[in-house]
Amino acid sequence: MKPRTPVARISATARYLPERVMTNADLEQMVDTSDTWIRERTGIRERRIASRDTGAAEMGTRAACAALQKAGLSARDIDLIIVSTATPDRMLPTTSCEIQAAIGASRRCFAYDLQAACTGFLYAVTMAEGQIAAGRAETVLIVSTEKMSTIIDWDDRATCILFGDGAGAAVVQPSTNGEGILSSYHRSDGNLAELITRPAGGARTPLTADRLRRREHMLQMAGPEVFKAAVRAMSKASIRALKDAGLETGDIDLLVPHQANARIIEATARYARVPMDRVFMNLDRYGNISSATIPVGLDEAREEGRIGPGSHVLMTAFGAGLTWGAMTMRM
Ligand code: ACO
C-alpha cells in the first residue's frame, strides 16, 4: 500500500483515573495469589478502582472535558462523539449520548458507542478519520471509558488481578501540516469469540437467577490462549502498519501498546523489533483498563515529554472478539 497524506490527527488527549488504588497486597487478602506471582506474570503492581456510584459515563465525561480544554475547544464545537466501552452504565441508551448531554454538546452533533473490547480506541480513531474524510465531521471527540471492576469475578484469581478502571479521551481533527494518522490496520476473528466472553446478560442469554449464581455475567477468559493470540496479532499488525506508512522500525519514537501484560508487550516489541527503551508501559500502575489503555498512555507519554511534535508513534491493541489492530501517526 502506498503511504498516503494524513487526513486526520489527534490534536489533544486527556485521562481520568479514579483515586482509589488497589495494590497486589490488597488482592492477597481477597484471593489465593501473591504480589510476586502477579508482578512476575503480568508486570502489574496496582490498579485504580472507581467508587460504587461512579460509572463509565462519569469517568468518560471527566476525561472528555479535560481533552476539550487542552484542545482549546468547547463542547459546542464537537460534530461527533464516539465512545468505546465494554462496560456501559446501562444497556440503553448509549454511553456516548449520556456523555453528549453531560458535557453540554450540541444537538447538531451525533454520538454512538463502539464495542471492540480492548481494541476500541484504535477502531474509534479509524472511524473518526473516515467521518472526517467523508466530510461528515470536523471535530470528533473519542472517549474510551471502562469500569472493568463491575464485570470482574472478584473470586477468580486468574482474571481479577488483571484489570482496573479509568478513561481516556482524544480529539480528532483534520490534518494540517502533514501530521496525523499515517496508517491503520484492523482485523477481527469471530471464530475465536469464546476465548474472552461475558456469557450472560445479552439477548440470547438474558440474566436469570441461575446465570447470576453461576457468575455468567462476569468476564471469562482463556488466559494462555489469549496470551499467544495477542502476541501474534499485535506484532503482525505492527509490522503491517509500519509497512503501510512507509516507515522502518527505527523511525518509531514510541510504541504505545495496549497494556494487558508486560510479557505480552515485551514479546510483541521483540517480534516487531522495537527496542524496549522505545516502548511505553504504565500497566504497573493501572493494570488493563481495556480500551482506555492507549489514550491514557498517549496522554502520559506526551506529558512526560516522550513524544511531541514531529514524533512518530506506533500503537497496537488486541481484545475480545477477537479484535486487533495497529496504527502509526506523525504528531
Ligand atoms: N495467582 C497465583 N497463581 C495463579 C493466578 C494468580 N492470580 N492465576 C493463575 N494462577 C496459577 C494457575 O492456576 C496455574 O496453576 P497450575 O499450574 O497449578 O494449574 C498457574 O498459575 C499458571 O497459570 P496460567 O494461566 O498458565 O498462567 P500464565 O502464565 O498464562 O498467566 C495470565 C496467566 C496472566 C492471565 C496470562 O495468560 C495473560 O496475561 N493472558 C492474556 C490476558 C489478556 O491479555 N487479556 C486481554 C484481553 S481482555 C479484554 O479484551 C477485555
Side-chain angles (χ1 to χ4, degrees), residues 27 31-35 37-38 40-42 44 86 116-119 146 148 151 156-163 196 219 221-228 230 234 258-264 288-291 318-323:
L27 283 162
V31 287
D32 179 15
T33 190
S34 69
D35 171 51
W37 193 97
I38 301 173
E40 287 178 356
R41 296 297 183 108
T42 71
I44 300 167
C118 304
T119 320
E146 309 280 8
M148 299 303 287
I151 64 165
D156 176 13
R157 68 175 182 173
T159 52
C160 76
I161 56 151
L162 297 172
F163 297 95
I196 312 171
L219 184 134
M221 181 174 68
E225 286 81 359
V226 172
F227 190 108
K228 283 178 250 163
M234 290 202 295
H258 171 50
Q259 310 281 310
N261 183 317
R263 290 186 296 136
I264 291 178
N288 180 350
I289 331 170
S290 194
S291 70
F318 172 90
L322 297 181
T323 59

Side-chain angles (χ1 to χ4, degrees), residues 145-216:
T145 181
E146 309 280 8
K147 193 174 182 186
M148 299 303 287
S149 60
T150 54
I151 64 165
I152 290 165
D153 181 349
W154 288 100
D155 289 333
D156 176 13
R157 68 175 182 173
T159 52
C160 76
I161 56 151
L162 297 172
F163 297 95
D165 299 335
V171 177
V172 181
Q173 294 184 291
S175 175
T176 43
N177 302 317
E179 86 281 35
I181 296 148
L182 301 171
S183 64
S184 72
Y185 173 86
H186 297 296
R187 290 290 182 270
S188 59
D189 184 357
N191 292 308
L192 300 176
E194 298 311 312
L195 292 185
I196 312 171
T197 63
R198 275 181 77 197
R204 185 160 60 96
T205 48
L207 286 179
T208 60
D210 271 355
R211 289 188 178 123
L212 283 170
R213 195 172 28 78
R214 290 196 298 266
R215 313 250 177 125
E216 289 179 15

Side-chain angles (χ1 to χ4, degrees), residues 57-81:
E58 185 183 327
M59 291 191 290
T61 297
R62 287 172 184 249
C65 291
L68 289 172
Q69 195 178 18
K70 283 193 194 174
L73 295 170
S74 106
R76 313 290 296 175
D77 298 320
I78 302 166
D79 303 310
L80 164 63
I81 300 170

